[in-house]
Amino acid sequence: MRALRILLIFVVIVGGLFVIADRVAVNFAEDKAADKIRTSEALADTPDVSIKGFPFLTQVVGGTLDDVEIGIKDYDAKSGGDSIRIADLDAEMHGVEFDSSYSSATAESATGTARISYAELLKAVKKQDVAQVAPGITAQIDGLSYGGGDKIKVAVTVKTPVGTLHPTVLSAVKVTDGKVSARADSLPKIGAFDLAEGRVRAVTDFQQAIDNLPAGIELDNVQAVQDGVEITVKGSNLKLVG
């Protein structure tokens, strides 16, 4: 009995030391990965990196990590050649395989979310030229906000020979051809002017590209929320670092 008790104590101590060593190793790896991603993506701040699964050391021996979560604040993506800021970008990488030198890594697949504020999306949309919808009548999107449910509210400024109008429309948002697109449910009446639907939609409806996302992840779906549009992203065979 005494020998068995000593053996059990030994097993507990060794197991505890292994857990401690495993957690120290994973914390070190997370910090190194975060620094590497910050450098490779030219980020202003160090991202959050969390390596899931236990034990970590056996995953390292196998050369593949089950899941790695990455969180980036204020990421500057591209939109039509200009910057557009993503307030929160969270991605979960699955099947992350690294080379023997641990200097590069690829993910078999990835899923995640990204949030863009209405103010930031508006800056990109307003870069479009003011549209002439009829002789002497011009219009431009002048505001984006939450419209309730799954809609966004699009405010338009219309300048006519008799004054300036500020109609609004409710629009559904979705991902079309890899871009965030909005299409008005119904079109506003521009005062007493009878304008062709195509001319009005040329102003109220839009498609906005969101490019240069980390590791080549792409837009999948989008929905309107209170403080912006929330985009789901996905990807496969993604080069993370290196």
Side-chain angles (χ1 to χ4, degrees):
M1 287 294 295
R2 185 171 180 273
L4 179 59
R5 187 180 301 112
I6 292 173
L7 179 60
L8 290 175
I9 292 173
F10 176 78
V11 170
V12 169
I13 292 174
V14 171
L17 291 175
F18 175 78
V19 170
I20 293 172
D22 192 78
R23 293 303 87 190
V24 169
V26 75
N27 290 338
F28 177 80
E30 289 170 345
D31 290 342
K32 288 297 183 182
D35 289 338
K36 188 77 171 179
I37 293 171
R38 177 181 179 178
T39 301
S40 63
E41 296 293 339
L43 303 177
D45 299 307
T46 303
D48 294 325
V49 175
S50 179
I51 299 173
K52 301 301 181 180
F54 179 83
F56 165 70
L57 293 174
T58 57
Q59 295 183 67
V60 172
V61 172
T64 302
L65 304 178
D66 295 335
D67 294 290
V68 179
E69 294 180 357
I70 301 173
I72 301 174
K73 298 288 185 182
D74 296 329
Y75 179 81
D76 286 328
K78 295 295 182 183
S79 180
D82 297 306
S83 293
I84 183 168
R85 177 151 297 186
I86 298 176
D88 298 287
L89 176 60
D90 297 296
E92 184 170 341
M93 308 291 176
H94 311 286
V96 177
E97 184 175 350
F98 41 87
D99 65 9
S100 58
S101 66
Y102 303 101
S103 60
S104 65
T106 57
E108 181 180 354
S109 63
T111 56
T113 60
R115 182 174 56 83
I116 302 174
S117 70
Y118 290 117
E120 194 68 22
L121 183 58
L122 176 62
K123 285 196 299 184
V125 171
K126 285 189 71 174
K127 291 183 181 297
Q128 300 175 7
D129 294 335
V130 175
Q132 183 170 337
V133 295
I137 303 176
T138 60
Q140 184 182 32
I141 292 177
D142 201 38
L144 298 175
S145 59
Y146 183 54
D150 60 350
K151 308 291 183 181
I152 65 172
K153 182 185 291 184
V154 181
V156 180
T157 294
V158 182
K159 294 183 179 180
T160 77
V162 295
T164 301
L165 304 174
H166 300 281
T168 61
V169 297
L170 289 178
S171 299
V173 289
K174 62 180 181 178
V175 173
T176 305
D177 298 327
K179 301 177 181 180
V180 175
S181 67
R183 179 177 174 83
D185 295 344
S186 59
L187 298 178
K189 184 174 178 58
I190 310 299
F193 299 94
D194 186 16
L195 305 179
E197 177 180 340
R199 289 182 175 271
V200 179
R201 286 201 178 277
V203 178
T204 61
D205 301 352
F206 64 85
Q207 285 190 347
Q208 196 63 48
I210 310 293
D211 302 319
N212 197 39
L213 295 174
I217 56 177
E218 300 175 343
L219 307 189
D220 182 36
N221 195 16
V222 61
Q223 64 176 350
V225 294
Q226 191 69 41
D227 53 354
V229 291
E230 188 170 275
I231 302 166
T232 57
V233 296
K234 66 178 182 179
S236 58
N237 298 320
L238 305 173
K239 188 175 182 63
L240 302 183
V241 293

